[in-house]
Amino acid sequence: MAGARALLRQFPLLLPQNRRGTAYEGFITAQGRDFHLRILLPEDLQMKNARVECSWRLKKVLGGYQHILKQRLHSCPDLLSFLVELKTVLEIALKNTPDLHIARPLEYYSCLVRDLEILGWNKVAYVDTGLTTVKLKAEDSCGRQHLITLKFSAKYPTEAPDCLVDFPVQFAISWMPQNSLVDIYSQFLAALESLRPFWDALDELDGQTWVLEPEHPSRSATARRIAIGNNVSVSVEVDPRHPNMLPECYFLGADHAVAPLRTKLNNNMHLWDPEISLLQNLKDVLEIDFPSRAVLEKSDFAQDCGICYAYRLEGCAPDQVCPEPRCGQPFHRACLQEWLQTLPTSRQSFNVIFGECPYCNK
């Protein structure tokens, strides 16, 4: 998770396309320019077997550097390291590619401005000075605000622009040379409405429960970690296409606290009713009432890590709890792992470390 957060911080326009983190699509920025690319990773996430798909502009810039990028692809340990290397090579390539500064054909500008006027300037949130990037704004039927970023090649409208949206699913447009921005906008609105039940469900969770993670969820985030009690929470992974179906649930906390919840979930799965809301279903199946936002504060559940004495560590909340009922002290996974690895009494079996609690020594 820390790697994914670091990746998002350094490359915010490159978004994951699936839950496994094996596909990323978006833009890499260098010297004020955005270049579209898609990266497909194998299941073991080894970079040497990854596939990088570039837009025609990016291919043109990196044409003479392919051998260097292949070397980097084989030597980099993870995706973030490769992207940092790619950006460095790209910045060098841009300095040595002066023909990229050549203005686009007049037909390109006249066509794009005409399409923007037909669409309506009131729908435009941003246009860059070179008329190569446009952000359009839209409101879904529930009043939520959304943006779509369009990156245009010099071949527009023969070639469709690249589209970047904050969606939990992939957004692909249908495009013909005779199409215009109006067609893209219509497809964008249709996609917003198809995802409305998903956002309705998660907005209800965000508004009526104490969500511990993510701290500031994006519209593409499909998971929520919800507080149930002191150092007890449930992480739910919602299917964007079927938001009212039973989600994947993972309980976090001491075993004596979460074992009854697992039992209730297994025993009451048959009670799940897709005709009622996700939140109400969770209450019925788990036989609980989630802590009220009107009565309790988030700090009532946000107990600091017993090792680093902080709640947030690189954006991550404590998710490991001592199983001793009289202790129940929470820890960050990274802090606990580092602590246990330094103890001579700890032992490791595969990827599990066994050792004493830093607080109660159990």
Side-chain angles (χ1 to χ4, degrees), residues 128-177:
D128 72 338
T129 54
L131 276 182
T132 60
T133 301
V134 174
K135 292 184 180 182
L136 303 178
K137 56 186 177 181
E139 187 177 281
D140 63 27
S141 58
C142 291
R144 287 179 286 256
Q145 299 293 322
H146 302 270
L147 288 175
I148 178 171
T149 301
L150 306 177
K151 303 285 186 177
F152 297 89
S153 75
K155 298 180 181 180
Y156 180 83
T158 303
E159 185 178 277
D162 293 322
C163 303
L164 183 67
V165 293
D166 190 13
F167 282 3
V169 296
Q170 188 172 0
F171 175 68
I173 62 171
S174 175
W175 183 263
M176 297 289 287

Side-chain angles (χ1 to χ4, degrees), residues 47-48 68-78 81 85:
M47 290 306 302
K48 62 182 180 180
I68 297 177
L69 292 175
K70 285 182 180 179
Q71 292 175 355
R72 298 293 190 271
L73 204 59
H74 279 74
S75 61
C76 287
D78 52 46
S81 301
E85 296 272 6

Side-chain angles (χ1 to χ4, degrees), residues 8 17 69 97 121 136 142 158 173 178 186 198 268 287 355:
L8 183 61
Q17 301 298 303
L69 292 175
T97 315
W121 290 100
L136 303 178
C142 291
T158 303
I173 62 171
Q178 63 268 26
S186 297
F198 167 74
N268 295 336
E287 300 177 11

